[in-house]
Amino acid sequence: MTDPLDLIVIGAGMAGVAAAKKCSQAGWSTAIVDELPYGGTCALRGCDPKKMLRAGAEAVEAARRLEGKGVTGETRIDWPALMKHKESFTDPVPESMESGLKEAGVQTLHGRVRFTAEDRIEIEGHGEIAFRHALIATGAKPRLLEFPGAEKLIDSTDFLNLAELPRRIVFVGGGYISFEFAHIAARAGAKVTILDRGVRQLKMFDPDLVDMLLERSRAAGIEIIPEATIERVEDVEEAHRVIYRNGDETHAIEADRVVHGAGRIPAIDHLDLAAAGIETEHGGVKVTPWLQSSSNPRIFAAGDVAASPGKPLTPVAVFEGKIAASNMLKDKRTEPDYTGVPSVVFTIPELARVGLLEEEAREMGDVEVSFTDTSGWFSQKRLGESHAGAKIITDPDGKILGAHMFGPDYAELINVFSLAIKLGLTAAQVKSMPAAYPTGASDIGSMF
């Protein structure tokens, strides 16, 4: 490649692939590069494989909840077989993704990348490549833990590839990763502990529903220890011992595996951004509201790597990638609209939110908050579920500001509220929807 590329995309995840296809189909000479297999975190190391494993945990949990209610017999997870089920999805992804890019006219490259100038990158095995525009979409990686023995921990990618399930697992951190994996592992028969240094877990979600989730997690056999500061991790025989402080006391817990679930940061350390004059902010690429680098106009960033207002979620990465591509193609300054983006913690049952938290809404003025314990409703009764709840927040005119839900299938139901918030609908308008009965959506009218 002697002529500069119109666009080089760094990172073959959801944001990068969306942008590369859009620009190539518009006639730009476009290439994409990744040092890892194509597909990114969501398809290969996160959302999708996690939910494939969760399917087994869901099935076991569903049978156990209905034990004595018409379902009999022992149900258990065969971990190696469940892992093969997961691999039946993940294994074909890189080749399929790369084939789709090639069909769209995108040149696909592999290798480690670093910037060498404002308009050049060097790709391991390919040499130096010049470009008119570049999109950084390298996603996130586990943040560095600084206690002694931190190198003994495995990360989320390692957990999703465990050939055998460890008998005892300690998760470090009280966020998405720890809770989702803990719920899978506990249903598969592991003894699970979550150590979180904070007082409050899952801080981005409604605290009343988080309390409900904590209660449900403990009922599933998961031990949760807040305000636990890890001092060190040491080897003991063929396992590990985690030494942590809780208040004024020091404790030790042994585990076959210790899993890093204590947060992720933008994956940019290896890119040598300074060589291209690319500024950073909050650990990510500093961007304008339209996703252009604040210091090098040739550069855009999208997804988890961009220091944008968007949450580190797959749908955000996708639409940021598309908007960045459109802004490059048309030389425009279109800003992403982050209104109505839902978030879900895929525990069993799941915890979901969209819009404002109650504390955020109250800072804006008068609001109406409807908090309902839905555990006794038909939707939960038929499944034998003991914990469920919903909190809906509206303004004085009835406009929906936020929706928070914990219960079976509420990850699907939250999408109704996502659409309502996106379109600025009122509670009365949503309640007027004639839902199929009996379905989860038929419960919506009673949640206000």
Side-chain angles (χ1 to χ4, degrees):
M1 286 180 283
T2 55
D3 295 331
L5 285 166
D6 290 323
L7 172 65
I8 179 72
V9 176
I10 306 169
M14 297 298 104
V17 168
K21 286 184 175 180
K22 187 177 182 70
C23 289
S24 180
Q25 289 165 350
W28 274 21
S29 59
T30 304
I32 190 167
V33 59
D34 204 316
E35 63 180 296
L36 296 172
Y38 282 22
T41 297
C42 184
L44 297 178
R45 302 177 292 276
C47 323
D48 293 341
K50 165 197 72 187
K51 223 176 170 194
M52 293 289 286
L53 295 182
R54 184 181 185 263
E58 287 176 283
V60 166
E61 175 63 20
R64 291 173 183 171
R65 284 199 310 260
L66 291 175
E67 186 176 351
K69 301 179 179 70
V71 176
T72 61
E74 180 186 359
T75 305
R76 66 177 186 84
I77 286 177
D78 179 337
W79 186 264
L82 182 61
M83 190 61 63
K84 286 184 179 179
H85 176 56
K86 185 251 338 179
E87 291 165 354
S88 72
F89 171 81
T90 56
D91 285 358
V93 167
E95 183 178 348
S96 174
M97 192 78 76
E98 189 162 358
S99 295
L101 285 160
K102 289 178 178 177
E103 289 173 7
V106 179
Q107 181 171 4
T108 58
L109 304 170
H110 299 266
R112 195 168 181 81
V113 179
R114 70 181 185 92
F115 285 92
T116 57
E118 291 184 352
D119 61 350
R120 293 179 183 273
I121 62 168
E122 183 179 73
I123 304 175
E124 182 181 27
H126 295 277
E128 201 171 63
I129 294 174
F131 59 81
R132 291 198 309 111
H133 295 90
L135 174 69
I136 303 174
T138 46
K141 63 179 183 178
R143 73 176 182 87
L144 181 66
L145 300 177
E146 298 181 343
F147 52 79
E151 73 280 357
K152 303 179 191 299
L153 275 64
I154 65 171
D155 62 20
S156 56
T157 300
D158 298 324
F159 179 88
L160 289 169
N161 289 311
L162 286 172
E164 298 286 346
L165 183 70
R167 186 170 57 87
R168 301 165 301 174
I169 307 175
V170 168
F171 291 93
V172 176
Y176 284 84
I177 292 172
S178 291
F179 273 89
E180 291 178 337
F181 289 176
H183 271 250
I184 293 169
R187 270 47 175 233
K191 184 180 185 300
V192 177
T193 303
I194 295 175
L195 299 177
D196 183 29
R197 68 178 181 178
V199 177
R200 176 179 161 191
Q201 290 68 60
L202 297 166
K203 293 185 285 289
M204 295 301 294
F205 290 81
D206 179 79
D208 293 323
L209 295 179
V210 169
D211 286 345
M212 197 176 283
L213 169 58
L214 296 181
E215 188 176 301
R216 185 67 178 87
S217 300
R218 292 184 172 110
I222 300 168
E223 184 178 15
I224 302 164
I225 303 176
E227 299 182 84
T229 301
I230 310 292
E231 294 195 336
R232 66 186 182 278
V233 176
E234 55 192 28
D235 292 329
V236 49
E237 296 180 357
E238 296 182 359
H240 304 296
R241 180 182 290 125
V242 182
I243 312 299
Y244 66 95
R245 289 192 65 79
N246 188 242
D248 295 328
E249 298 181 350
T250 299
H251 303 269
I253 183 172
E254 292 189 5
D256 301 296
R257 290 286 189 177
V258 185
V259 183
H260 183 338
R264 293 169 66 83
I265 59 172
I268 56 173
D269 294 349
H270 61 293
L271 295 176
D272 197 3
L273 298 181
I278 301 169
E279 295 181 352
T280 61
E281 181 179 50
H282 307 306
V285 177
K286 185 177 181 180
V287 293
T288 64
W290 52 94
L291 304 173
Q292 188 174 30
S293 166
S294 59
S295 55
N296 182 342
R298 301 173 182 83
I299 310 296
F300 284 70
D304 295 0
V305 77
S308 71
K311 296 177 183 177
L313 299 167
T314 298
V316 171
V318 171
F319 69 65
E320 281 192 347
K322 290 179 178 179
I323 289 171
S326 181
N327 284 338
M328 285 186 278
L329 288 167
K330 300 174 183 178
D331 194 23
K332 288 192 173 183
R333 295 185 173 186
T334 302
E335 299 179 17
D337 179 5
Y338 300 102
T339 305
V341 177
S343 304
V344 179
V345 185
F346 283 101
T347 46
I348 303 174
E350 56 260 36
L351 175 66
R353 73 163 281 190
V354 65
L356 300 177
L357 291 167
E358 180 180 348
E359 59 196 72
E360 295 170 336
R362 290 195 185 280
E363 290 175 0
M364 297 174 59
D366 293 336
V367 294
E368 181 176 335
V369 178
S370 299
F371 179 45
T372 310
D373 185 328
T374 64
S375 59
W377 290 14
F378 168 78
S379 297
Q380 278 61 258
K381 184 75 172 176
R382 73 179 189 86
L383 299 172
E385 179 54 67
S386 58
H387 293 68
K391 179 181 287 188
I392 313 300
I393 304 163
T394 56
D395 70 9
D397 296 323
K399 184 179 177 180
I400 300 171
L401 302 177
H404 307 271
M405 315 182 77
F406 173 63
D409 301 323
Y410 281 0
E412 294 293 344
L413 201 54
I414 201 70
N415 292 321
V416 174
F417 290 95
S418 172
L419 181 63
I421 290 174
K422 186 78 172 177
L423 299 180
L425 302 182
T426 64
Q429 288 172 317
V430 172
K431 288 169 70 175
S432 71
M433 176 186 72
Y437 184 86
T439 64
S442 66
D443 291 340
I444 288 177
S446 301
M447 292 179 175
F448 292 94

